Coordinates of all heavy atoms in Angstrom, one line a residue:
M1 N 0.8 -1.2 0.0 CA 0.0 0.0 0.0 C 0.9 1.2 0.0 O 1.9 1.3 0.7 CB -0.9 0.0 1.2 CG -2.1 0.8 1.2 SD -3.2 0.5 2.6 CE -4.1 -0.9 1.9
Q2 N 0.5 2.3 -0.7 CA 1.3 3.5 -0.9 C 0.5 4.7 -0.5 O -0.8 4.7 -0.6 CB 1.7 3.7 -2.4 CG 3.0 3.0 -2.7 CD 3.6 3.7 -3.9 OE1 2.9 4.3 -4.7 NE2 4.9 3.6 -4.1
I3 N 1.2 5.7 0.0 CA 0.6 6.9 0.4 C 1.2 8.0 -0.5 O 2.4 8.0 -0.8 CB 0.7 7.2 1.9 CG1 -0.1 8.4 2.3 CG2 2.2 7.4 2.3 CD1 -0.4 8.5 3.8
E4 N 0.4 9.0 -0.9 CA 0.8 10.1 -1.7 C 0.3 11.4 -1.0 O -0.8 11.5 -0.7 CB 0.2 10.0 -3.1 CG 0.7 11.1 -4.0 CD 0.0 11.0 -5.4 OE1 0.2 10.1 -6.2 OE2 -0.8 11.9 -5.6
Y5 N 1.3 12.3 -0.8 CA 0.9 13.5 -0.1 C 1.2 14.7 -1.0 O 2.3 14.8 -1.5 CB 1.7 13.6 1.2 CG 1.8 15.0 1.8 CD1 0.7 15.7 2.1 CD2 3.1 15.5 2.0 CE1 0.9 17.0 2.6 CE2 3.2 16.8 2.5 CZ 2.2 17.5 2.8 OH 2.3 18.8 3.3
D6 N 0.3 15.6 -1.2 CA 0.5 16.7 -2.1 C 0.6 18.0 -1.2 O -0.4 18.5 -0.6 CB -0.8 16.9 -3.0 CG -0.7 18.0 -4.0 OD1 0.2 18.9 -3.8 OD2 -1.5 18.1 -4.8
E7 N 1.9 18.4 -1.1 CA 2.2 19.6 -0.2 C 1.5 20.9 -0.7 O 1.1 21.7 0.1 CB 3.7 19.8 -0.3 CG 4.2 20.7 0.7 CD 5.7 21.0 0.5 OE1 6.1 21.4 -0.5 OE2 6.4 20.6 1.5
D8 N 1.3 21.1 -2.0 CA 0.7 22.3 -2.5 C -0.8 22.4 -2.0 O -1.2 23.5 -1.8 CB 0.8 22.4 -4.0 CG 2.2 22.6 -4.5 OD1 3.1 23.1 -3.7 OD2 2.5 22.2 -5.6
T9 N -1.4 21.3 -1.9 CA -2.8 21.2 -1.5 C -3.0 21.4 -0.1 O -4.0 21.9 0.4 CB -3.5 19.9 -2.0 OG1 -3.3 19.7 -3.4 CG2 -5.0 19.8 -1.6
C10 N -2.0 21.0 0.7 CA -2.1 21.0 2.2 C -2.2 22.5 2.7 O -1.6 23.4 2.2 CB -0.7 20.5 2.7 SG -0.5 20.6 4.5
I11 N -3.2 22.6 3.7 CA -3.4 23.9 4.3 C -3.0 23.9 5.7 O -3.3 24.8 6.4 CB -4.9 24.3 4.1 CG1 -5.8 23.2 4.7 CG2 -5.3 24.6 2.7 CD1 -7.3 23.7 4.8
G12 N -2.2 23.0 6.1 CA -1.6 23.0 7.5 C -2.5 22.9 8.7 O -2.3 23.6 9.6
M13 N -3.6 22.1 8.5 CA -4.5 22.0 9.7 C -4.0 20.9 10.7 O -4.4 20.8 11.8 CB -5.9 21.6 9.2 CG -6.5 22.6 8.2 SD -6.8 24.2 9.0 CE -8.3 23.7 9.9
F14 N -3.1 20.1 10.2 CA -2.3 19.1 11.0 C -3.2 18.0 11.7 O -2.7 17.4 12.6 CB -1.5 19.8 12.0 CG -0.4 20.7 11.5 CD1 -0.3 22.0 11.9 CD2 0.4 20.3 10.4 CE1 0.7 22.8 11.4 CE2 1.3 21.2 9.8 CZ 1.4 22.4 10.3
Q15 N -4.3 17.7 11.1 CA -5.1 16.5 11.6 C -4.3 15.3 11.3 O -4.3 14.3 12.1 CB -6.5 16.4 11.0 CG -7.4 17.5 11.4 CD -7.5 18.6 10.4 OE1 -6.4 19.0 9.8 NE2 -8.6 19.2 10.1
C16 N -3.6 15.2 10.1 CA -2.9 14.0 9.7 C -1.8 13.6 10.8 O -1.5 12.5 11.1 CB -2.3 14.1 8.3 SG -1.2 15.6 8.2
V17 N -1.2 14.7 11.3 CA -0.1 14.5 12.3 C -0.6 13.8 13.5 O 0.1 12.9 14.1 CB 0.4 15.9 12.7 CG1 1.5 15.8 13.8 CG2 1.0 16.6 11.5
A18 N -1.9 14.0 13.9 CA -2.5 13.3 15.0 C -2.8 11.8 14.7 O -2.9 11.0 15.7 CB -3.7 14.1 15.5
E19 N -3.0 11.5 13.5 CA -3.4 10.2 13.1 C -2.3 9.2 12.8 O -2.3 8.0 13.1 CB -4.3 10.2 11.8 CG -5.6 11.0 12.1 CD -6.5 10.4 13.2 OE1 -6.4 9.2 13.5 OE2 -7.3 11.1 13.7
W20 N -1.2 9.7 12.1 CA 0.0 8.8 11.8 C 1.2 9.6 12.1 O 1.5 10.7 11.7 CB -0.1 8.5 10.3 CG 0.9 7.4 10.0 CD1 1.4 6.4 10.8 CD2 1.5 7.1 8.7 NE1 2.3 5.6 10.2 CE2 2.4 5.9 8.9 CE3 1.4 7.7 7.4 CZ2 3.1 5.5 7.9 CZ3 2.2 7.2 6.4 CH2 3.0 6.1 6.6
S21 N 2.1 8.9 12.9 CA 3.3 9.5 13.4 C 4.3 9.9 12.4 O 5.4 10.6 12.5 CB 4.0 8.6 14.5 OG 4.2 7.3 13.9
E22 N 4.2 9.3 11.1 CA 5.0 9.6 10.0 C 4.8 11.0 9.4 O 5.5 11.5 8.5 CB 5.0 8.5 9.0 CG 5.6 7.2 9.4 CD 7.1 7.3 9.8 OE1 7.7 8.3 9.5 OE2 7.6 6.3 10.3
F23 N 3.6 11.6 9.8 CA 3.4 13.0 9.4 C 3.8 13.9 10.5 O 3.5 13.7 11.7 CB 1.9 13.2 9.1 CG 1.4 12.8 7.8 CD1 0.7 11.7 7.6 CD2 1.8 13.6 6.7 CE1 0.3 11.3 6.4 CE2 1.4 13.2 5.4 CZ 0.6 12.0 5.2
E24 N 4.6 14.9 10.2 CA 5.1 15.9 11.2 C 4.8 17.3 10.7 O 4.5 17.5 9.6 CB 6.6 15.7 11.4 CG 7.0 14.4 12.1 CD 8.4 14.3 12.4 OE1 9.1 15.3 12.3 OE2 8.9 13.2 12.7
K25 N 4.8 18.2 11.7 CA 4.5 19.6 11.4 C 5.7 20.3 11.0 O 6.8 20.2 11.6 CB 4.0 20.3 12.7 CG 2.7 19.8 13.2 CD 2.3 20.6 14.4 CE 1.1 20.0 15.1 NZ 0.6 20.7 16.3
D26 N 5.6 21.1 9.9 CA 6.7 22.0 9.5 C 6.0 23.4 9.8 O 5.4 23.9 8.9 CB 7.2 21.9 8.1 CG 8.3 22.8 7.8 OD1 8.5 23.8 8.6 OD2 9.0 22.6 6.9
K27 N 6.2 23.8 11.0 CA 5.5 25.1 11.4 C 6.0 26.3 10.5 O 5.2 27.2 10.3 CB 5.6 25.4 12.8 CG 4.7 24.4 13.6 CD 4.6 24.9 15.1 CE 3.8 24.0 15.9 NZ 4.2 23.8 17.3
S28 N 7.2 26.3 10.2 CA 7.8 27.4 9.4 C 7.1 27.5 8.1 O 6.9 28.6 7.5 CB 9.3 27.4 9.3 OG 9.7 26.2 8.6
E29 N 6.8 26.4 7.5 CA 6.1 26.3 6.2 C 4.7 26.3 6.3 O 3.9 26.6 5.3 CB 6.6 25.1 5.4 CG 8.1 25.1 5.1 CD 8.4 25.9 3.9 OE1 7.6 26.2 3.1 OE2 9.7 26.3 3.7
G30 N 4.1 25.9 7.5 CA 2.7 25.7 7.6 C 2.1 24.6 6.9 O 1.0 24.5 6.4
K31 N 3.0 23.6 6.7 CA 2.7 22.4 5.9 C 3.0 21.1 6.7 O 3.9 21.2 7.6 CB 3.4 22.3 4.6 CG 3.3 23.5 3.8 CD 2.0 23.4 2.8 CE 2.0 24.5 1.9 NZ 0.8 24.4 1.1
A32 N 2.4 20.0 6.4 CA 2.8 18.7 6.9 C 4.1 18.2 6.2 O 4.3 18.6 5.0 CB 1.7 17.7 6.8
V33 N 4.8 17.4 6.8 CA 6.0 16.6 6.2 C 5.7 15.2 6.3 O 5.4 14.7 7.4 CB 7.3 17.0 6.9 CG1 8.4 16.2 6.3 CG2 7.5 18.5 6.8
L34 N 5.9 14.4 5.2 CA 5.8 13.0 5.2 C 7.2 12.4 5.3 O 8.0 12.5 4.4 CB 5.0 12.5 4.0 CG 4.8 11.0 3.9 CD1 4.1 10.4 5.1 CD2 4.1 10.7 2.6
N35 N 7.5 11.8 6.5 CA 8.9 11.3 6.7 C 9.2 10.1 5.7 O 8.2 9.4 5.3 CB 8.9 10.7 8.1 CG 8.9 11.7 9.1 OD1 9.3 12.9 8.9 ND2 8.5 11.4 10.3
D36 N 10.4 10.1 5.3 CA 11.0 8.9 4.5 C 10.3 8.8 3.1 O 10.2 7.7 2.6 CB 10.9 7.6 5.2 CG 11.7 7.5 6.5 OD1 12.8 8.2 6.5 OD2 11.3 6.9 7.5
S37 N 9.7 10.0 2.7 CA 9.1 9.9 1.4 C 10.0 10.5 0.2 O 11.0 11.1 0.5 CB 7.8 10.8 1.4 OG 8.1 12.1 1.7
E38 N 9.6 10.1 -1.0 CA 10.4 10.6 -2.1 C 9.5 11.6 -2.9 O 8.3 11.3 -3.1 CB 10.6 9.3 -3.0 CG 11.7 9.6 -4.1 CD 11.8 8.4 -5.0 OE1 11.6 7.2 -4.4 OE2 12.1 8.6 -6.2
E39 N 10.1 12.7 -3.3 CA 9.3 13.7 -4.1 C 9.3 13.2 -5.6 O 10.3 13.3 -6.3 CB 10.0 15.1 -4.0 CG 9.1 16.2 -4.5 CD 9.6 17.6 -4.1 OE1 10.8 17.7 -3.5 OE2 8.9 18.5 -4.5
T40 N 8.2 12.7 -6.0 CA 8.1 12.1 -7.3 C 7.8 13.1 -8.4 O 8.1 13.0 -9.6 CB 7.0 11.0 -7.4 OG1 5.8 11.5 -7.0 CG2 7.4 9.8 -6.6
E41 N 7.1 14.2 -8.0 CA 7.0 15.4 -8.9 C 6.9 16.6 -7.9 O 6.9 16.4 -6.8 CB 5.7 15.3 -9.8 CG 4.5 14.9 -9.1 CD 3.3 14.7 -10.1 OE1 2.8 15.7 -10.7 OE2 3.0 13.5 -10.4
D42 N 6.9 17.7 -8.5 CA 7.0 19.0 -7.7 C 5.9 19.0 -6.6 O 4.7 19.1 -6.9 CB 6.8 20.2 -8.6 CG 7.7 21.3 -8.1 OD1 8.6 21.1 -7.3 OD2 7.3 22.5 -8.4
G43 N 6.4 18.9 -5.3 CA 5.4 19.0 -4.2 C 4.6 17.8 -3.9 O 3.8 17.8 -3.0
V44 N 4.9 16.7 -4.6 CA 4.1 15.4 -4.4 C 5.1 14.4 -3.8 O 6.1 14.1 -4.4 CB 3.5 14.9 -5.7 CG1 2.8 13.6 -5.5 CG2 2.5 15.9 -6.3
F45 N 4.8 13.9 -2.7 CA 5.7 13.0 -2.0 C 5.0 11.6 -1.7 O 3.8 11.5 -1.4 CB 6.0 13.6 -0.6 CG 6.7 14.9 -0.6 CD1 6.0 16.1 -0.9 CD2 8.1 14.9 -0.6 CE1 6.8 17.3 -0.9 CE2 8.8 16.1 -0.6 CZ 8.1 17.3 -0.8
V46 N 5.8 10.5 -2.0 CA 5.2 9.2 -2.0 C 6.1 8.3 -1.2 O 7.3 8.5 -1.2 CB 5.2 8.7 -3.5 CG1 4.7 7.2 -3.5 CG2 4.2 9.5 -4.4
R47 N 5.5 7.3 -0.5 CA 6.2 6.3 0.2 C 5.3 5.1 0.4 O 4.1 5.1 0.3 CB 6.7 6.8 1.5 CG 5.7 7.2 2.5 CD 6.3 7.3 4.0 NE 6.5 6.0 4.5 CZ 7.0 5.7 5.7 NH1 7.4 6.8 6.4 NH2 7.2 4.5 6.2
E48 N 5.9 4.0 0.7 CA 5.3 2.7 1.1 C 4.7 2.9 2.5 O 5.3 3.6 3.3 CB 6.2 1.5 1.0 CG 6.5 1.0 -0.3 CD 5.3 0.4 -1.0 OE1 4.5 -0.3 -0.3 OE2 5.1 0.6 -2.2
I49 N 3.6 2.2 2.8 CA 3.1 2.2 4.1 C 3.4 0.9 4.7 O 3.0 -0.2 4.1 CB 1.5 2.4 4.2 CG1 1.2 3.7 3.3 CG2 1.0 2.4 5.5 CD1 -0.3 3.8 3.1
P50 N 4.1 0.8 5.9 CA 4.3 -0.5 6.5 C 3.0 -1.1 6.9 O 2.0 -0.4 7.2 CB 5.1 -0.1 7.7 CG 5.6 1.3 7.6 CD 4.7 1.9 6.6
E51 N 3.0 -2.4 6.8 CA 1.7 -3.2 7.0 C 1.0 -2.8 8.4 O -0.2 -2.6 8.4 CB 1.9 -4.7 7.0 CG 1.3 -5.3 5.7 CD 1.6 -6.7 5.6 OE1 1.2 -7.5 6.5 OE2 2.2 -7.2 4.6
D52 N 1.9 -2.7 9.4 CA 1.3 -2.4 10.7 C 0.9 -0.9 10.9 O 0.4 -0.5 11.9 CB 2.3 -2.8 11.8 CG 3.6 -2.0 11.7 OD1 3.7 -1.1 10.8 OD2 4.5 -2.2 12.6
A53 N 1.1 -0.1 9.8 CA 0.7 1.3 9.9 C -0.5 1.7 8.9 O -0.9 2.8 8.8 CB 1.8 2.3 9.6
E54 N -1.0 0.6 8.3 CA -2.0 0.9 7.2 C -3.2 1.6 7.8 O -3.8 2.5 7.2 CB -2.4 -0.4 6.5 CG -1.3 -0.9 5.5 CD -1.6 -2.2 4.8 OE1 -2.7 -2.7 5.2 OE2 -0.8 -2.6 4.0
L55 N -3.7 1.2 9.0 CA -4.9 1.7 9.6 C -4.6 3.3 9.9 O -5.5 4.1 9.5 CB -5.3 1.0 10.8 CG -6.8 0.9 11.2 CD1 -7.5 0.3 10.0 CD2 -6.9 0.1 12.5
D56 N -3.5 3.6 10.5 CA -3.2 4.9 10.9 C -3.1 5.8 9.6 O -3.6 6.9 9.6 CB -1.9 5.0 11.6 CG -2.0 4.4 13.0 OD1 -3.1 4.1 13.4 OD2 -0.9 4.3 13.6
A57 N -2.4 5.3 8.6 CA -2.2 6.1 7.4 C -3.6 6.4 6.7 O -3.8 7.4 6.2 CB -1.3 5.3 6.4
K58 N -4.5 5.3 6.7 CA -5.8 5.6 6.2 C -6.6 6.6 6.9 O -7.3 7.5 6.4 CB -6.6 4.3 6.2 CG -6.2 3.3 5.1 CD -7.1 2.0 5.2 CE -6.7 1.0 4.1 NZ -7.4 -0.3 4.4
F59 N -6.5 6.6 8.3 CA -7.1 7.6 9.1 C -6.6 9.0 8.7 O -7.3 10.0 8.6 CB -7.0 7.4 10.6 CG -8.0 6.4 11.2 CD1 -7.6 5.2 11.8 CD2 -9.3 6.6 11.0 CE1 -8.5 4.3 12.3 CE2 -10.3 5.8 11.6 CZ -9.9 4.6 12.2
A60 N -5.3 9.1 8.5 CA -4.7 10.4 8.2 C -5.2 10.9 6.9 O -5.6 12.0 6.8 CB -3.1 10.2 8.1
A61 N -5.4 10.0 5.9 CA -5.9 10.4 4.6 C -7.4 10.8 4.7 O -7.8 11.8 4.1 CB -5.9 9.2 3.6
R62 N -8.1 10.1 5.5 CA -9.6 10.4 5.6 C -9.8 11.7 6.4 O -10.8 12.4 6.1 CB -10.3 9.2 6.4 CG -10.5 8.0 5.5 CD -11.7 7.2 6.0 NE -11.6 5.8 5.4 CZ -11.1 4.8 5.9 NH1 -10.6 4.8 7.1 NH2 -11.2 3.6 5.2
T63 N -8.9 12.0 7.3 CA -9.1 13.2 8.1 C -8.7 14.5 7.5 O -9.1 15.5 7.8 CB -8.4 13.0 9.5 OG1 -8.9 13.9 10.4 CG2 -7.0 13.3 9.3
C64 N -8.0 14.4 6.4 CA -7.5 15.6 5.7 C -8.7 16.3 5.1 O -9.4 15.8 4.2 CB -6.4 15.2 4.6 SG -5.9 16.7 3.8
P65 N -8.8 17.6 5.4 CA -10.0 18.3 5.0 C -10.0 18.7 3.5 O -11.0 19.1 3.0 CB -10.1 19.6 5.9 CG -8.7 19.8 6.3 CD -8.1 18.5 6.4
V66 N -8.8 18.7 2.9 CA -8.6 19.1 1.5 C -8.2 18.0 0.6 O -7.7 18.3 -0.5 CB -7.7 20.3 1.4 CG1 -8.4 21.6 2.1 CG2 -6.4 20.0 2.1
D67 N -8.2 16.7 1.1 CA -7.8 15.6 0.3 C -6.4 15.7 -0.3 O -6.2 15.3 -1.4 CB -8.8 15.3 -0.8 CG -10.2 14.8 -0.3 OD1 -10.3 14.4 0.9 OD2 -11.2 14.9 -1.0
A68 N -5.5 16.2 0.6 CA -4.1 16.2 0.1 C -3.4 14.9 0.3 O -2.3 14.8 -0.2 CB -3.4 17.3 1.0
I69 N -4.1 13.9 0.8 CA -3.4 12.6 1.1 C -4.3 11.5 0.3 O -5.5 11.5 0.6 CB -3.4 12.3 2.6 CG1 -2.7 13.4 3.3 CG2 -2.7 10.9 2.8 CD1 -2.8 13.3 4.9
K70 N -3.6 10.8 -0.4 CA -4.2 9.7 -1.2 C -3.6 8.4 -0.8 O -2.4 8.3 -0.5 CB -4.2 9.9 -2.7 CG -4.9 11.1 -3.1 CD -4.7 11.4 -4.6 CE -5.5 12.6 -5.0 NZ -4.9 13.5 -5.9
I71 N -4.4 7.3 -0.8 CA -3.9 6.0 -0.5 C -4.2 5.1 -1.7 O -5.2 5.1 -2.3 CB -4.7 5.3 0.7 CG1 -4.5 6.3 1.9 CG2 -4.1 4.0 1.0 CD1 -3.3 6.2 2.7
Y72 N -3.1 4.3 -2.1 CA -3.2 3.4 -3.3 C -2.9 2.0 -2.8 O -2.1 1.8 -2.0 CB -2.3 3.8 -4.4 CG -2.6 5.1 -5.0 CD1 -2.0 6.3 -4.5 CD2 -3.3 5.2 -6.1 CE1 -2.3 7.5 -5.0 CE2 -3.6 6.5 -6.7 CZ -3.0 7.6 -6.2 OH -3.3 8.8 -6.7
D73 N -3.7 1.0 -3.4 CA -3.2 -0.4 -3.1 C -2.0 -0.8 -3.9 O -1.6 0.0 -4.8 CB -4.4 -1.3 -3.2 CG -4.9 -1.5 -4.6 OD1 -4.1 -1.1 -5.5 OD2 -6.0 -2.1 -4.8
D74 N -1.6 -2.0 -3.8 CA -0.4 -2.5 -4.5 C -0.6 -2.6 -6.0 O 0.4 -2.7 -6.7 CB 0.1 -3.9 -3.9 CG 0.6 -3.7 -2.5 OD1 1.0 -2.6 -2.1 OD2 0.6 -4.7 -1.7
D75 N -1.8 -2.6 -6.4 CA -2.1 -2.6 -7.9 C -2.2 -1.2 -8.5 O -2.5 -1.0 -9.6 CB -3.4 -3.4 -8.2 CG -3.2 -4.8 -7.8 OD1 -2.1 -5.4 -7.9 OD2 -4.3 -5.4 -7.3
G76 N -2.0 -0.2 -7.6 CA -2.1 1.2 -8.0 C -3.5 1.8 -8.1 O -3.7 2.9 -8.6
E77 N -4.5 1.0 -7.5 CA -5.8 1.5 -7.4 C -6.0 2.4 -6.3 O -5.5 2.1 -5.2 CB -6.8 0.3 -7.3 CG -8.2 0.7 -7.6 CD -9.1 -0.5 -7.7 OE1 -8.6 -1.6 -8.2 OE2 -10.3 -0.3 -7.2
Q78 N -6.6 3.6 -6.5 CA -6.8 4.6 -5.5 C -7.9 4.1 -4.5 O -9.0 3.8 -4.9 CB -7.2 5.9 -6.0 CG -7.1 7.0 -5.0 CD -7.3 8.4 -5.6 OE1 -6.9 8.6 -6.8 NE2 -7.9 9.3 -4.9
L79 N -7.6 4.0 -3.2 CA -8.6 3.6 -2.2 C -9.2 4.8 -1.4 O -10.4 4.7 -1.1 CB -7.9 2.7 -1.2 CG -7.1 1.4 -1.7 CD1 -6.5 0.7 -0.6 CD2 -8.2 0.5 -2.4
I80 N -8.4 5.8 -1.2 CA -8.9 7.0 -0.4 C -8.2 8.2 -1.1 O -7.0 8.2 -1.4 CB -8.4 6.9 1.0 CG1 -9.0 5.6 1.7 CG2 -8.9 8.1 1.8 CD1 -8.4 5.4 3.1
P81 N -8.9 9.3 -1.3 CA -10.3 9.5 -0.9 C -11.2 9.0 -2.1 O -10.7 8.7 -3.1 CB -10.5 11.0 -0.8 CG -9.4 11.6 -1.7 CD -8.3 10.5 -1.7
Ligands
LIG1 S1 -4.5 17.0 7.3 FE1 -4.2 17.6 5.2 S2 -4.2 19.9 5.2 FE2 -3.9 19.2 7.3 S3 -1.7 19.1 7.6 FE3 -2.3 17.1 7.0 S4 -2.1 17.1 4.7 FE4 -2.1 19.2 5.4

């Protein structure tokens, strides 16, 4: 399972930070940071989700008010939002 985070869409409400510890606050930028992710295009960060963190990552994606976080299964199908 993969997670994709779009920094440009993020409005820094930080609900995701409360749901999954791999999201952190960058208060100077007013944006979330996705740890251990790779920037695959400008402002878009992607990483694998460890199996034991899938639930937390899904909660993070669901709680984002602007849908800046997407979840994909291993076949590349979008699960959330
Ligand atoms: S919940 Fe969404 S808008 Fe809020 S910090 Fe996380 S990614 Fe950004």
Side-chain angles (χ1 to χ4, degrees):
M1 200 170 278
Q2 270 204 334
I3 190 162
E4 184 187 287
Y5 160 58
D6 182 348
E7 187 184 67
D8 292 337
T9 303
C10 173
I11 55 171
M13 301 296 282
F14 299 132
Q15 290 97 322
C16 57
V17 174
E19 299 297 342
W20 191 26
S21 55
E22 294 293 354
F23 278 106
E24 290 186 11
K25 294 180 189 179
D26 183 344
K27 285 191 179 150
S28 63
E29 297 278 340
K31 302 274 186 181
V33 175
L34 178 58
N35 291 334
D36 298 325
S37 60
E38 194 185 327
E39 191 169 8
T40 55
E41 51 187 283
D42 211 22
V44 177
F45 296 83
V46 176
R47 63 165 283 175
E48 283 292 320
I49 306 168
E51 255 177 55
D52 62 359
E54 286 180 355
L55 213 56
D56 289 351
K58 284 179 178 173
F59 275 123
R62 286 202 190 99
T63 198
C64 179
V66 290
D67 292 343
I69 304 168
K70 295 178 177 136
I71 306 276
Y72 295 88
D73 70 12
D74 291 336
D75 297 324
E77 193 171 327
Q78 189 173 330
L79 304 176
I80 302 171

